[in-house]
Amino acid sequence: MSDTVALQAQNLYKVFGRRPKEVIKRLKAGESRDSLTSMGTAAVIDASFDVKQGEIFVVMGLSGSGKSTLIRMLNGLWEPSAGSVTIGDTPITGIPDKELRAVRTKHVSMVFQHFALLPHRTVLENAAYGLEIQGMSSDERRQKALEWIERVGLKGWEQKLPGQLSGGMQQRVGLARALAADTDILLMDEAFSALDPLIRREMQEQLVELQQELGKTIIFITHDLNEAMFLGDRIAVMRDGRIVQIGAPDDILTDPANDYVAQFVQDVDRARVLTASGVMEPARSVITATAGPRGALRTMRDLQTSAVFVVGNGRKLLGVVRDRDVMRAVKDNEKDIMSILRHDTPTVGPDQHLVDLFGISAESTLPVAVIDDENRLLGAIPRVTLLASLGNVPSTTTEIPVVEPPVTVPVEAMTETLRETGGDEAVADAVADGAAADEETAASEGSAN
C-alpha cells in the first residue's frame, strides 16, 4: 500500500426526493435526517474519505446505512446530490457520459452481490466481457480471460453457462471478469454475502491473497463485521447515512468512536483481529551486546528482572540472557556476553494475530518478542498483556518492568556481586545506594512527622 490516493470522496450527499437541495441545506444547519423525510430521503450525508493505492478499504454498516448508495456514487452510477468523487487525478462528478464511461472502462471494475453474469454467455465469454468493452482483440482477450479463470479456480469450466454453476462458482466468474479488466480500482458490493459460510471464507482468503500479489485498490461493502475485520486495511463504519468512524480494524475494536460502534464490535473474536503490533509494549529489559555481563546484571538489578533481551547493531535481536548465567559470568570476570547468550527467545512478527500467540506464550516463561523482517526488536508481549487485550482492559503495566519469571537471584546478591568485582564502578554503586538509602530515610522521617 502506497501513500498515493487512488480515490477521494469529498462531502458526498445523496438525497432521493423532491427537494434535495433544501434537505442538504437543513442537514448542514443541524436538522436530523428523520425530520426531513417529507422533502426527501438522505441516503448518504457528508461522506468524506481517501482510499490509498493498494488498500482494501471496507465500508461497513447495517441495512439502510447508505453503504450501497455510496459505492454507486464512487463509480458514477449515481450522481451525488452534492460533493465530488475523484479517481486518480480525474474528477468524475458532473462529467459527460462519454468521459465517465472511459474512466470506468480503464480505471474501475465492479463485482456485484448477485453476480450480474450474462446468462447466455459462457464462463469464458463472461470473464472476457470487460476486455471486449475495452476493444481488445478476440485472441488476446480469450488468452487473458483463460488465465484469470484458472487463477480463481475454475479451470475446466470455461464452456459452461452461469446456470450450470454454483453460487460460489458464479461469484468466482465475476471476480475473474473484474480482475481480467485490469483496472486500478475494484468495487465490491456485498460480493460474498449470498454465499454459504465456508465458500464465503474461501473467497475472502482468495481475495486477500490476490490483493497481496497484485496490489489492487479494493473498496469492499459489507454488513458482516467479521468479514470487514478480516479483509480491511481500514474500515469506515456507517450509520443512518453518515460515516461515524474510519480506522484500522485494531482501532475500531479497541477505541470505538461512540456507543453504536462499541455495541457493533462487542461480539467480535478479538484474538482473530488484534495483531501483535497493536498490543505490544515497549521492552525496557534490553541491553546491547557491548554492555557485557556486568551491564546485563546492572539492568537486571535495576529492573528486578531475571532475564534481558540482548540486541546488536540496529536493535537486531540476538537472544536473551538469564540472571544465574550472568552472575556466574560476572564472578568469572567474563567480558563477552555472547558465551552465555540463549537463543530460545519466542518471537512473532508485528502482523501476527493474537490467536497464534497463545501456544507460543504458554511454552515460554519469557514475554513474546515482536520483531520485524530484519529481526529488529519492536516490543514485547507479556502474558498479562496478551490476556488483558482479549477483554479490552489495560494491563497493569504500561511498559515491561519485569520479564517473566521474576528474579531467581536476590537483588541484594546482584548488588554485592557488582561491588565485589567492580573496582571504581563498585564505589559509584555504593554512593548511589547510600544516596538512595538517605532519601528513603528522610522520606520516612518526613512522613512520621
Side-chain angles (χ1 to χ4, degrees):
M1 183 170 62
S2 73
D3 292 330
T4 304
V5 175
L7 182 146
Q8 182 181 62
Q10 287 187 306
N11 308 114
L12 286 179
Y13 287 80
K14 183 62 180 178
V15 178
F16 298 97
R18 298 178 294 107
R19 301 163 63 183
K21 291 184 179 179
E22 181 65 20
V23 171
I24 292 171
K25 180 180 178 181
R26 294 195 179 190
L27 286 169
K28 290 181 177 179
E31 293 191 40
S32 70
R33 181 172 83 159
D34 292 342
S35 68
L36 302 172
T37 53
S38 61
M39 291 184 286
T41 300
V44 175
I45 304 170
D46 197 21
S48 296
F49 56 88
D50 295 339
V51 181
K52 298 177 181 179
Q53 285 185 1
E55 178 179 24
I56 299 182
F57 185 85
V58 177
V59 181
M60 180 187 68
L62 300 177
S63 179
S65 62
K67 57 190 186 297
S68 291
T69 301
L70 176 63
I71 199 173
R72 281 160 173 74
M73 289 192 286
L74 299 183
N75 68 352
L77 286 176
W78 285 344
E79 184 76 10
S81 302
S84 64
V85 176
T86 302
I87 294 176
D89 296 324
T90 306
I92 68 165
T93 306
I95 65 175
D97 291 345
K98 184 177 180 180
E99 293 181 27
L100 181 58
R101 283 194 294 271
V103 171
R104 288 185 193 143
T105 300
K106 295 179 180 178
H107 299 291
V108 184
S109 297
M110 192 159 183
V111 180
F112 298 89
Q113 177 179 357
H114 297 294
F115 319 137
L117 302 180
L118 301 173
H120 60 286
R121 292 197 175 204
T122 65
V123 167
L124 178 60
E125 291 167 341
N126 267 286
Y129 182 70
L131 302 174
E132 182 181 342
I133 298 299
Q134 292 177 7
M136 185 178 291
S137 68
S138 176
D139 289 343
E140 191 176 357
R141 68 175 181 257
R142 173 185 170 84
Q143 183 59 40
K144 195 167 186 179
L146 284 171
E147 292 174 2
W148 281 108
I149 288 171
E150 182 175 356
R151 289 290 297 279
V152 299
L154 290 178
K155 185 177 181 180
W157 295 81
E158 296 86 352
Q159 300 306 318
K160 302 293 185 180
L161 294 173
Q164 297 174 287
L165 308 180
S166 68
M169 296 171 77
Q170 290 184 53
Q171 194 59 287
R172 291 176 191 272
V173 178
L175 183 59
R177 177 180 59 192
L179 292 170
D182 197 24
T183 56
D184 304 322
I185 299 171
L186 190 60
L187 303 180
M188 305 185 73
D189 185 12
E190 298 272 13
F192 304 147
S193 63
L195 305 178
D196 293 335
L198 290 178
I199 301 299
R200 183 187 310 156
R201 187 65 175 188
E202 289 179 9
M203 293 296 295
Q204 292 167 356
E205 291 172 350
Q206 184 171 48
L207 179 65
V208 170
E209 181 181 333
L210 289 170
Q211 195 273 345
Q212 289 174 345
E213 179 182 342
L214 303 171
K216 292 289 184 182
T217 302
I218 299 173
I219 300 175
F220 195 100
I221 304 297
T222 184
H223 66 273
D224 185 330
L225 181 60
N226 285 308
E227 182 171 65
M229 293 288 181
F230 179 76
L231 293 175
D233 294 310
R234 287 189 301 149
I235 299 170
V237 182
M238 293 192 72
R239 182 188 188 189
D240 296 336
R242 298 182 184 272
I243 294 177
V244 295
Q245 185 171 2
I246 296 177
D250 284 17
D251 298 331
I252 300 289
L253 193 56
T254 60
D255 190 21
N258 55 33
D259 291 342
Y260 173 77
V261 179
Q263 186 176 8
F264 212 95
V265 302
Q266 66 181 356
D267 294 325
V268 170
D269 186 349
R270 303 172 69 86
R272 296 186 181 277
V273 176
L274 297 176
T275 59
S277 62
V279 303
M280 68 182 183
E281 299 182 356
R284 288 181 58 212
S285 304
V286 181
I287 63 164
T288 62
T290 56
R294 289 190 62 80
L297 191 59
R298 288 175 64 87
T299 298
M300 290 175 175
R301 182 198 63 178
D302 294 344
L303 298 179
Q304 299 185 32
T305 175
S306 66
V308 294
F309 295 120
V310 181
V311 297
N313 292 335
R315 204 174 168 82
K316 290 187 177 182
L317 181 63
L318 301 177
V320 67
V321 290
R322 305 275 188 159
D323 51 5
R324 293 189 182 278
D325 297 332
V326 171
M327 281 279 287
R328 185 171 58 253
V330 171
K331 289 180 178 179
D332 292 343
N333 201 29
E334 287 278 350
K335 303 299 183 184
D336 186 5
I337 203 169
M338 302 304 288
S339 62
I340 58 172
L341 190 68
R342 298 190 185 191
H343 301 283
D344 56 351
T345 314
T347 61
V348 296
D351 297 326
Q352 199 153 349
H353 289 101
L354 299 193
V355 70
D356 301 321
L357 270 60
F358 292 104
I360 299 171
S361 181
E363 293 172 359
S364 174
T365 57
L366 292 172
V368 177
V370 183
I371 58 174
D372 64 12
D373 292 338
E374 297 181 3
N375 210 50
R376 291 177 297 196
L377 180 63
L378 305 177
I381 305 175
R383 289 174 181 169
V384 63
T385 300
L386 183 59
L387 294 174
S389 65
L390 297 182
N392 197 26
V393 295
S395 62
T396 55
T397 60
T398 55
E399 293 181 318
I400 310 288
V402 179
V403 175
E404 299 175 343
V407 290
T408 59
V409 176
V411 173
E412 295 79 5
M414 294 183 187
T415 301
E416 186 62 27
T417 299
L418 288 169
R419 285 176 175 169
E420 289 176 353
T421 60
D424 291 340
E425 187 178 341
V427 175
D429 277 345
V431 171
D433 291 343
D438 290 343
E439 290 179 5
E440 189 173 329
T441 301
S444 176
E445 291 174 351
S447 61
N449 294 332

